[in-house]
Amino acid sequence: GAGVSQSPRYKVAKRGQDVALRCDPISGHVSLFWYQQALGQGPEFLTYFQNEAQLDKSGLPSDRFFAERPEGSVSTLKIQRTQQEDSAVYLCASSLDWPAEIQETQYFGPGTRLLVL
Amino acid sequence: QKEVEQNSGPLSVPEGAIASLNCTYSDRGSQSFFWYRQYSGKSPELIMSIYSNGDKEDGRFTAQLNKASQYVSLLIRDSQPSDSATYLCAVRKSGGSYIPTFGRGTSLIVHP
């Protein structure tokens, strides 16, 4: 079946603009994660949803970052008043039902590469 | 101390050799460990997961886990140029939302 999809794949924003990044998880996956990956670094956790409930947003770096998943499927990560330090790849991952089993794994989408000028 | 530590490399090995990638972690209660491969400009792809002490083999890949030493490794036998990528170690936390923490990755270069 189809994997995790993300759009847009690339986004260039001027500093101060708002951006919205979309994630379509694998069909039937209850759990959805957002990560930020800076150049040369591993993915850093931002936030996690179980269905429409945002269970953990401890990784969001500031109140400019907001995520939602209103119907428990598609999710949107919104960054307000973008700054240059927001430039990174934003990865979305989904999982069948995290963290029900220790064998539960995450499947990543292709990412959105954000460049803030 | 970072939660998950990896040598950033690059690790350079000749084609056909064994590549050994190492990862240490700080959360002693962690139970799930993952190795992802990430090609340049692409998303992480899960290649191995391990949950019990010892070795787990899958084709040319072997994951090794030593919980007492808080150490997990990935061996790639008969390395191929197509194995050249960054290898990310991820460790699932033992509490909270059990969110995996990723290391910064080790860059592997397999030269012909």
Side-chain angles (χ1 to χ4, degrees):
Chain A
V4 179
S5 61
Q6 293 185 245
S7 61
R9 293 294 311 280
Y10 302 91
K11 178 69 179 178
V12 178
K14 292 183 179 177
R15 190 164 58 96
Q17 278 186 330
D18 297 349
V19 298
L21 312 180
R22 176 188 167 107
C23 173
D24 259 290
I26 294 173
S27 178
H29 277 197
V30 169
S31 310
L32 185 147
F33 310 80
W34 284 99
Y35 288 86
Q36 180 191 61
Q37 187 174 24
L39 193 63
Q41 302 295 318
E44 294 279 346
F45 170 73
L46 294 176
T47 187
Y48 152 58
F49 290 85
Q50 193 79 337
N51 294 303
E52 68 277 5
Q54 189 174 21
L55 298 188
D56 190 335
K57 55 181 181 179
S58 61
L60 295 177
S62 77
D63 58 7
R64 296 187 296 105
F65 287 71
F66 171 78
E68 60 182 3
R69 194 186 184 196
E71 297 178 359
S73 178
V74 171
S75 177
T76 303
L77 176 68
K78 298 179 180 178
I79 309 174
Q80 297 177 323
R81 304 181 303 282
T82 52
Q83 303 295 314
Q84 286 185 321
E85 62 262 29
D86 300 334
S87 296
V89 176
Y90 290 85
L91 294 166
C92 176
S94 72
S95 180
L96 187 59
D97 187 10
W98 191 273
E101 303 289 340
I102 66 168
Q103 298 91 341
E104 196 65 46
T105 56
Q106 298 173 305
Y107 299 89
F108 282 85
T112 294
R113 191 175 299 270
L114 173 65
L115 176 63
V116 181
L117 302 176
Chain B
Q1 181 190 10
K2 291 197 71 173
E3 293 182 58
V4 179
E5 300 230 34
Q6 294 182 259
N7 188 323
S8 61
L11 173 65
S12 182
V13 301
E15 185 174 356
I18 295 175
S20 177
L21 304 160
N22 305 316
C23 173
T24 58
Y25 60 94
S26 61
D27 183 352
R28 186 169 285 280
S30 297
Q31 296 185 38
S32 307
F33 308 85
F34 308 94
W35 283 100
Y36 286 83
R37 178 176 61 199
Q38 187 173 29
Y39 292 113
S40 180
K42 302 295 186 183
S43 61
E45 172 193 10
L46 181 69
I47 54 172
M48 288 287 288
S49 56
I50 187 166
Y51 314 103
S52 305
N53 276 328
D55 295 0
K56 178 182 177 183
E57 187 174 318
D58 184 1
R60 295 186 296 112
F61 299 97
T62 299
Q64 299 175 317
L65 175 60
N66 183 326
K67 290 185 179 180
S69 300
Q70 294 173 243
Y71 176 95
V72 57
S73 64
L74 179 70
L75 301 179
I76 307 175
R77 290 182 299 282
D78 188 24
S79 296
Q80 302 296 310
S82 59
D83 295 326
S84 299
T86 295
Y87 289 80
L88 298 164
C89 171
V91 178
R92 180 168 136 151
K93 290 183 179 178
S94 60
S97 301
Y98 305 92
I99 300 299
T101 299
F102 285 79
R104 65 180 298 177
T106 298
S107 174
L108 172 66
I109 298 172
V110 181
H111 53 86

